[in-house]
């Protein structure tokens, strides 16, 4: 079985991924955008948002799980 990251990377199209991203809560979307699309570390994303690095990591993991569920449909 593919994990969350593999599902995200294997999205059939940019529009499919964009639609899945739109279903995330603002907090989860912000975390995934900063870490995956802007390339920030958890620590840099934490500084950017004023949150703890552990919070960013948890949000990224939650976002990946949510995206995996959306893209696996």
């Amino acid at each position: 079985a593919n994990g969350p990251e593999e599902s995200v990377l294997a999205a059939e199209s940019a529009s499919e991924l964009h639609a899945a991203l739109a279903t995330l809560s603002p907090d989860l979307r912000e975390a995934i955008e900063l870490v995956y699309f802007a390339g920030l570390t958890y620590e840099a994303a934490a500084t950017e948002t004023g949150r703890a690095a552990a919070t960013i990591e948890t949000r990224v993991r939650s976002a990946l799980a949510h995206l995996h569920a959306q893209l696996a449909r």
Side-chain angles (χ1 to χ4, degrees):
N2 285 339
E5 291 184 43
E6 290 83 4
S7 292
V8 172
L9 295 175
E12 291 182 9
S13 69
S15 62
E16 183 181 8
L17 180 57
H18 182 71
L21 286 167
T23 67
L24 294 174
S25 69
D27 287 341
L28 297 184
R29 189 168 45 251
E30 176 184 51
I32 205 82
E33 287 174 351
L34 290 173
V35 173
Y36 276 85
F37 298 112
L40 298 182
T41 62
Y42 294 136
E43 291 77 16
T47 300
E48 179 80 17
T49 61
R51 305 276 187 245
T55 299
I56 298 299
E57 183 176 2
T58 298
R59 288 179 180 174
V60 167
R61 288 175 190 257
S62 295
L64 287 173
H66 180 85
L67 291 171
H68 173 67
Q70 291 295 311
L71 295 171
R73 291 180 172 195

